[in-house]
Each structure stands twice: as C-alpha cells, then as structure tokens.
Amino acid sequence: MSTEARTPAPVPTDNTTTPGDPPRTGGPRLSRRPPSSGRTRSSIPLTVVMVAMFVYVLLPLVWLTINATKTNGGLFSSFGLWFADDFALWDNLKALFTYQGSVYPRWLANTVLYAGVGGVGATILATLGGYGLAKYDFPGRRAAFAIVIGAMTVPMTALAVPTFLMFSELGLTNTVWAVLVPALASPFGLYLMYVYAQDSVPDSLLEAARLDGASELRTFLTVSLRLLSPGFVTVLLFSVVATWNNYFLPLIMLSDPKLYPLTVGLNQWNDQAGSSGQGEPVYNLVLTGSLVAIVPLVIVFLFLQRFWQSGLAAGSVKQ
C-alpha cells in the first residue's frame, strides 16, 4: 500500500475563488462596519439646533423683505410672513427717496461717510497699534496693553455722555466730527490685530528684512501688511458694521436732521406718528428704508469675503 503525501485543500479566502464563482478583481475585500448608532444619535440634536439657529437668524430678514412690499394698510391687514394683495415695493421705494424733500438719500450718504471714514480710520489705527504691541518691545508696553484690555470692558453707552460733554466744550457737537472722531477708537479691533500679528508675522521674516537694509516703515508696508491683510479685513468689517449701526452716539451728538445717519433718521420717522399725533404714520417707508440700509453691508461683506476666509486658519499651525 503506497502512501502519498496529501496536501490539505485550500480554504477559500477573500482573494481565492471556488469553481463556479466569478473571478474577483482588486485587493482584499475589507469588511464593512455598521455605522455607529451613537454617533447618529448625537448628530440629530446638533442638526436640530443648527436648523433652529438658522431659522432664528433668517426669519427677521424674511419678515423685513416681505413687509417692505406692503402699504401701511397692508401691514395691519395681512399675515406678517406673507405678501399682501397689493405689491407696493416699487411705490415704497419711490416714496422713500422723495419723502420730506428727499432726506433719505442724505441720511444714506451720511451713513456711508461715517462708516467709511470712521471704519477705515479705526482699522488703520488698530492695525498700527496692534502690530506695534505685538512686534516691538518698548517701555510701557504691558501698561499700554492693559489699558487696551480695560477699554474693551467699558460699554460704549457709558462713554457717550462724557464724550458729549467733552465735544460740547470743544464746540464740535452737531458736526460730522462728533461722529467721526469717536468712531476712530476701536480697542477691540486693536486687540484682534495684536493677536493676529503675533501669529501671522514671523519674527525671522522681520529680521531678514532688516538685514537686507529695509526700514521699519518699508518692512511694514511691503511685508507685514500683506500678511496682516486677512486680519485687516476682519477688523474693517467689524468697524464698518459697528459704525453703520451706531445709534446712541449720533442721537445725543446731532440735532440737525441733515446730519442724521440712517439709524437716527428712520427712528424719527417711526416715532413721528406717536402719541402727539402730529405726523402721519409711514411704517411702510421705515421698513423699506431698513431693507435698503442693509444692502450696502451685504455688498461690502460679499466683496471682502474672500480676504476674510483666507485668514480663518492663520495661526492654527505652530511655527
């Protein structure tokens, strides 16, 4: 009886095929794990919260857009989140720019002046101050930084009355300077630029520029400012929006309606049909004017968005 070495039959694996099976191509088949039910359960509440926040933010804008298309009567006779029978948006726009001797375009121009000059000026000063605190060592540096932090904790409304008294002594009330000069101070913007300059401008790059013979001003304008551009745009957006929406300071500083910004002017229209009954209600013009007032801010944000997004990850990697 002959004995022969018998080899065991191969056990089919993921890479082998058995007779009658179609050939398999590719690498080894990976086993699929069922999705984690815990992760799915945790994402559902987060999604609900995000949707609720989205609706909370978007709902006032939708309400404003819809009601800007109504007349005064339609505002009180129709549902707030749906259009009335008479679509009066174009009539409201025409009346908006001609009401009271076309004062609304004047208010709009004043707001652009205050927000443009004040916002750009505040951003330039904040950039210079934040860069200096971050990259230069000088006597009193810590004290200056402590003053900036302390100024951030003081609300602007608390400084409005002392500012009014000071400007009244200087004879600057009821002038454009009463709004422009306070808008140039931005402690929060200076702090943002200080933090951003620390991470985005390497000290080695500044030393290399100095070794090449570049002056401090040239180094800042040609090297540092380009690296600071995302932070510059972020502070610019904050400053412009803050000045555009400023209400209390112009209210106490200005008495001439021709110098009013949109915030004060539209509130005056809203109150003219109050308890005194001396004026006709123009709620439709107030809503239409509010809708027109946010259009420039949307345009500015869309135009500067690419600069802002490019700096979101700056400083996330330690050098």
Side-chain angles (χ1 to χ4, degrees):
M1 182 175 180
S2 60
T3 59
E4 295 179 357
R6 295 182 181 180
T7 58
V11 179
T13 60
D14 290 340
N15 294 330
T16 60
T17 58
T18 58
D21 291 341
R24 296 177 181 176
T25 59
R29 185 174 59 186
L30 300 177
S31 60
R32 297 182 178 178
R33 295 182 178 178
S36 175
S37 59
R39 182 177 180 181
T40 304
R41 287 194 301 266
S42 62
S43 63
I44 293 177
L46 180 61
T47 303
V48 173
V49 171
M50 293 302 296
V51 171
M53 293 180 62
F54 177 76
V55 173
Y56 176 78
V57 173
L58 191 63
L59 189 61
L61 181 60
V62 173
W63 181 88
L64 178 63
T65 304
I66 292 175
N67 286 273
T69 65
K70 302 177 182 180
T71 60
N72 266 328
L75 288 172
F76 300 98
S77 62
S78 61
F79 180 59
L81 292 177
W82 194 246
F83 299 93
D85 296 334
D86 50 345
F87 188 83
L89 177 61
W90 310 120
D91 295 335
N92 289 341
L93 288 173
K94 182 179 179 180
L96 175 68
F97 286 93
T98 57
Y99 185 69
Q100 287 186 350
S102 301
V103 71
Y104 183 85
R106 181 67 178 265
W107 292 344
L108 181 60
N110 292 339
T111 307
V112 172
L113 174 65
Y114 299 150
V117 177
V120 173
T123 305
I124 293 175
L125 294 178
T127 303
L128 293 174
Y131 176 79
L133 286 175
K135 295 301 174 182
Y136 293 98
D137 191 9
F138 53 89
R141 176 173 175 266
R142 293 186 177 181
F145 184 72
I147 293 175
V148 172
I149 298 298
M152 290 174 53
T153 63
V154 180
M156 296 302 297
T157 53
L159 299 176
V161 174
T163 304
F164 170 76
L165 296 176
M166 182 177 63
F167 276 69
S168 179
E169 292 293 331
L170 297 174
L172 295 178
T173 55
N174 201 29
T175 64
V176 295
W177 302 109
V179 180
L180 289 177
V181 174
L184 296 177
S186 178
F188 179 67
L190 193 150
Y191 175 74
L192 284 182
M193 292 306 301
Y194 166 79
V195 174
Y196 191 84
Q198 279 189 322
D199 295 331
S200 63
V201 182
D203 294 335
S204 58
L205 190 60
L206 300 180
E207 292 296 334
R210 296 186 182 105
L211 291 176
D212 289 339
S215 62
E216 297 297 331
L217 179 60
R218 183 179 179 182
T219 302
F220 173 76
L221 294 177
T222 60
V223 178
S224 302
L225 192 58
R226 295 184 180 182
L227 298 175
L228 294 173
S229 58
F232 183 91
V233 171
T234 302
V235 176
L236 178 62
L237 287 174
F238 278 117
S239 301
V240 168
V241 172
T243 309
W244 189 279
N245 295 329
N246 194 5
Y247 170 75
F248 189 61
L249 183 65
L251 177 66
I252 65 174
M253 286 289 188
L254 304 175
S255 58
D256 186 1
K258 294 182 179 180
L259 299 177
Y260 284 170
L262 287 173
T263 51
V264 179
L266 290 176
N267 186 70
Q268 186 187 56
W269 281 1
N270 188 54
D271 294 340
Q272 73 178 12
S275 57
S276 61
Q278 296 179 356
E280 59 177 345
V282 286
Y283 301 120
N284 59 328
L285 299 187
V286 173
L287 294 175
T288 307
S290 301
L291 180 63
V292 174
I294 67 175
V295 173
L297 291 180
V298 174
I299 295 175
V300 170
F301 179 81
L302 293 177
F303 177 73
L304 299 176
Q305 187 179 16
R306 61 190 183 95
F307 299 100
W308 180 64
Q309 287 180 342
S310 64
L312 289 179
S316 59
V317 179
K318 184 176 181 180
Q319 299 180 357

